[in-house]
């Protein structure tokens, strides 16, 4: 899942890169965008967001995702590139 605004150059680039390496990639601007995605409990899902994407939006999407589509065995990975780069 790529979270961010459609006008964000950074987020669009993340979407393009994800499409090269992942079978299924979805672009989300809001939690409501998740309604159209057919998730399964066995899916392994990563969430990435562009640098200008508000962290509360990313966290809201992850909470909604976990509460609606994941069982206890599910795996969820959240990455915000600016935060990750601070640790590299």
């Amino acid at each position: 899942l790529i979270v961010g605004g459609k006008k964000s150059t950074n987020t669009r680039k993340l979407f393009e890169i994800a499409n090269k390496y992942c079978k299924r990639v979805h672009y989300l601007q809001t939690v409501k965008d998740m309604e159209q995605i057919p998730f399964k409990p066995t899916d392994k899902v990563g969430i990435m967001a562009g640098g200008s994407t508000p962290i509360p939006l990313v966290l809201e999407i992850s909470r909604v995702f976990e509460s609606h589509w994941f069982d206890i065995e599910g795996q969820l990975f959240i990455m915000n590139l600016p935060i990750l780069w601070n640790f590299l």
Side-chain angles (χ1 to χ4, degrees):
L1 302 176
I2 306 297
V3 182
K6 292 280 185 178
K7 294 181 180 178
S8 167
T9 303
N10 182 273
T11 305
R12 281 196 317 263
K13 186 66 175 175
L14 285 175
F15 184 78
E16 291 171 12
I17 293 168
N19 266 320
K20 288 182 183 178
Y21 298 100
C22 302
K23 292 179 184 178
R24 289 177 35 204
V25 180
H26 301 279
Y27 204 128
L28 305 175
Q29 293 186 90
T30 67
V31 172
K32 190 155 180 69
D33 294 339
M34 296 172 72
E35 294 173 1
Q36 306 301 318
I37 303 171
F39 293 112
K40 297 177 287 189
T42 56
D43 286 343
K44 292 183 180 176
V45 176
I47 298 176
M48 290 198 331
S52 61
T53 304
I55 290 176
L57 173 60
V58 178
L59 294 175
E60 180 184 8
I61 285 174
S62 69
R63 281 192 295 271
V64 169
F65 184 82
E66 286 181 298
S67 67
H68 288 269
W69 288 286
F70 259 93
D71 60 15
I72 197 70
E73 299 297 321
Q75 297 179 2
L76 181 66
F77 175 71
I78 302 171
M79 183 170 77
N80 182 287
L81 292 179
I83 291 173
L84 177 66
W85 288 336
N86 287 332
F87 291 103
L88 296 179

